[in-house]
Amino acid sequence: MNVTIFGSGYVGLVTGACLAEVGNQVMCVDVDPVKINRLMQDDIPIYEPGLEEMVSRNRAAGRLHFTTDAKQGAHFGTVQFIAVGTPPDEDGSADLQYVLAVAESIATHMQDFKIVINKSTVPVGTADQVSAQITQILTQRQADLTFDVISNPEFLKEGAAIDDFMKPDRIVVGTENPRSIEVMRELYAPFNRNHERLIFMDVHSAELTKYAANAMLATKISFMNELSNIAETLGADIEKVRVGIGSDPRIGYQFIYPGCGYGGSCFPKDVKALVKTARNVGYEPQLLQAVEDVNQRQKHMLFHKIKAYFDGDLPHKTVAIWGLAFKPNTDDMREAPSRTLMEMLWDAGAKIRAFDPIANQELKRIYGERSDLVICQDAEDTLDGADILAVITEWIEFRSPDFSMIKNKLRYPAIFDGRNIYDPQTVQNAGLIYYSIGRQPIR
């Protein structure tokens, strides 16, 4: 099958590479010529395990193509994916200008039947807007062409996106058009061999399913963080509580880890967008707003613990930070708790020595050169001249450090663990003071 994908960012590139991997001819279209030139040289602009090799392999095999030519893309595939960004507006709503611009490009250049697939995360009703946009352009062209607009939301986890696409839990498709249903069955057949993963529904339900999934997961995280603050106040241990409730199969262990807040490109944006969508139809989503409010408060938690430890005297203090990405196995720092902590520390007059196994370059891109930031080449290097250590991302290489070395290097023997990855007794036995989330400080 010939497939066109508009947008060569995270979702578009993973989708294109995986569809090419199973034998399809895929053309990825992007307006950024620098990005396309990089991709044509197998230079991947994002970090995702396995993606660089897959792109290189399929480009060499002649199945994966890159272009900035929207007309070429519109002519290439019967299936036309829209996988462009939907950044939040100031009011939290999703900005659909790029989605609608792609719809206009497809309508301007199409010469035969097209199935236009919204892969981007978009509010309920976006397919209707895309359909109206295409209809308007075709009417202006006086072109008697047919098309179908369907929803096919992505459920890719950063750091595991290739596995998620190749071995999906479910494939949600929003369409009631029999012709489109058959095409989607054919397209996804290679990923659907073990058992039936395709779930067909109406377009509006498919659009809401994506938001609902992310909002549910964000709710579990914020609930656990709320509970961790209660536990810490009561003298309980949230990690023991987590095990106790996670053993209930109705609850399970996934997404109930307390920490310093969630980040990334999906949960914060999608929760805000769903709140805005609800308000647009006259419904006040109290729970969803609380999920967002709790998360914002949780991102401040480590700063307040550090500030209290120094009795408010943060000017000229230096904080070592382990972990910058919003989670392991990605370089994505969008909405990352590390950014909140660093910016609050800078505002208070402190300095930062930071390290992340993957996201160092992203840190430099975001903040540039500044006198109160040193980007280090390894975790141990951050401790040189540092007063305390804050752990923000639970990378595997941070999980079994040399605590004696940490104690000897820090001016103040204190670790602030935003992910509860250390055993308090082990840290205490090394002579370190230990602050974590939802547990009593170990002094």
Side-chain angles (χ1 to χ4, degrees):
M1 190 178 296
N2 285 1
V3 177
T4 298
I5 300 176
F6 284 89
S8 297
Y10 186 83
V11 173
L13 195 54
V14 171
T15 300
C18 290
L19 288 174
E21 181 78 0
V22 298
N24 296 292
Q25 287 289 325
V26 179
M27 179 171 289
C28 295
V29 184
D30 202 282
V31 296
D32 184 351
V34 175
K35 181 189 292 184
I36 291 298
N37 286 335
R38 289 181 63 182
L39 289 168
M40 291 175 70
Q41 299 171 40
D42 297 332
D43 181 8
I44 309 302
I46 58 174
Y47 177 80
E48 179 62 37
L51 182 59
E52 183 174 354
E53 296 82 359
M54 184 176 284
V55 169
S56 178
R57 182 168 61 248
N58 284 282
R59 204 177 68 81
R63 292 189 296 267
L64 185 58
H65 317 274
F66 298 101
T67 184
T68 57
D69 189 340
K71 181 178 180 180
Q72 184 182 8
H75 288 173
F76 184 77
T78 299
V79 171
Q80 304 263 316
F81 279 97
I82 301 178
V84 295
T86 53
D89 277 338
E90 290 184 6
D91 63 359
S93 62
D95 184 349
L96 298 178
Q97 63 172 310
Y98 305 114
V99 171
L100 295 176
V102 171
E104 182 177 344
S105 293
I106 294 171
T108 299
H109 300 297
M110 61 187 283
Q111 299 295 327
D112 50 18
F113 174 74
K114 300 294 180 186
I115 298 175
V116 180
I117 303 172
N118 274 332
K119 199 71 174 171
S120 303
T121 301
V122 293
V124 175
T126 300
D128 298 336
Q129 294 186 54
V130 169
S131 183
Q133 182 87 336
I134 295 174
T135 299
Q136 179 183 351
I137 301 297
L138 292 178
T139 301
Q140 292 171 359
R141 289 177 55 195
Q142 296 183 329
D144 185 20
L145 299 172
T146 58
F147 66 93
D148 189 26
V149 178
I150 73 178
S151 174
N152 175 217
E154 53 86 14
F155 298 97
L156 305 177
K157 298 186 294 292
E158 291 192 42
I162 298 294
D163 281 347
D164 285 345
F165 198 102
M166 301 300 288
K167 303 173 184 176
D169 298 318
R170 75 285 206 198
I171 303 167
V172 173
V173 178
T175 183
E176 296 172 284
N177 183 317
R179 183 175 181 181
S180 296
I181 289 173
E182 287 310 306
V183 171
M184 295 303 281
R185 285 194 184 280
E186 180 184 348
L187 180 66
Y188 281 115
F191 313 98
N192 199 38
R193 292 178 66 84
N194 275 359
H195 60 273
E196 181 61 64
R197 293 180 173 91
L198 278 161
I199 303 172
F200 289 99
M201 58 184 71
D202 63 276
V203 173
H204 288 182
S205 296
E207 291 172 330
L208 183 56
T209 295
K210 170 62 177 180
Y211 277 128
N214 280 349
M216 173 63 79
L217 297 176
T219 299
K220 292 183 74 173
I221 295 170
S222 279
F223 173 81
M224 206 63 190
N225 284 334
E226 184 89 291
L227 205 58
S228 72
N229 298 330
I230 297 171
E232 194 168 325
T233 303
L234 294 174
D237 184 336
I238 193 61
E239 290 299 324
K240 293 176 180 176
V241 174
R242 177 181 65 80
V243 174
I245 66 174
S247 60
D248 186 332
R250 297 171 301 174
I251 298 171
Y253 290 105
Q254 291 188 318
F255 288 86
I256 61 168
Y257 287 88
C260 51
Y262 59 76
S265 63
C266 294
F267 289 4
K269 175 175 70 73
D270 293 353
V271 171
K272 291 173 188 173
L274 188 52
V275 167
K276 179 63 176 175
T277 296
R279 287 175 177 160
N280 285 345
V281 294
Y283 182 82
E284 181 57 35
Q286 296 177 351
L287 178 58
L288 291 174
Q289 186 59 57
V291 169
E292 168 65 14
D293 293 343
V294 168
N295 189 58
Q296 289 303 316
R297 184 180 65 196
Q298 200 69 13
K299 289 183 178 181
H300 297 175
M301 197 63 63
L302 278 188
F303 172 78
H304 292 306
K305 289 175 184 284
I306 292 170
K307 183 179 180 181
Y309 176 77
F310 286 114
D311 295 323
D313 183 23
L314 283 173
H316 310 299
K317 295 294 190 296
T318 298
V319 178
I321 290 183
W322 287 3
L324 300 164
F326 83 95
K327 71 173 187 177
N329 297 319
T330 181
D331 63 351
D332 194 342
M333 289 183 61
R334 285 174 288 184
E335 302 274 354
S338 64
R339 296 178 63 171
T340 302
L341 176 60
M342 288 189 294
E343 290 166 11
M344 294 182 78
L345 287 169
W346 284 327
D347 288 345
K351 297 180 179 180
I352 304 292
R353 293 179 62 84
F355 168 73
D356 186 283
I358 298 295
N360 274 1
Q361 282 301 115
E362 183 67 0
L363 174 65
K364 185 175 182 179
R365 185 192 68 80
I366 294 169
Y367 294 110
E369 301 286 344
R370 47 186 300 162
S371 60
D372 49 9
L373 171 63
V374 177
I375 302 175
C376 301
Q377 296 309 304
D378 58 53
E380 184 174 344
D381 187 29
T382 65
L383 305 174
D384 293 335
D387 292 292
I388 60 167
L389 168 63
V391 181
I392 312 300
T393 313
E394 62 276 29
W395 286 93
I396 288 177
E397 67 181 78
F398 300 154
R399 298 204 176 177
S400 298
D402 183 341
F403 289 114
S404 297
M405 178 270 294
I406 294 174
K407 181 177 184 296
N408 291 333
K409 282 183 172 284
L410 293 176
R411 292 195 184 104
Y412 297 83
I415 296 177
F416 293 79
D417 182 358
R419 298 298 176 188
N420 288 4
I421 61 176
Y422 301 133
D423 172 59
Q425 192 61 55
T426 301
V427 179
Q428 184 181 40
N429 290 344
L432 287 155
I433 298 168
Y434 183 58
Y435 292 85
S436 55
I437 304 295
R439 300 186 288 193
Q440 293 300 295
I442 303 296
R443 298 184 179 92

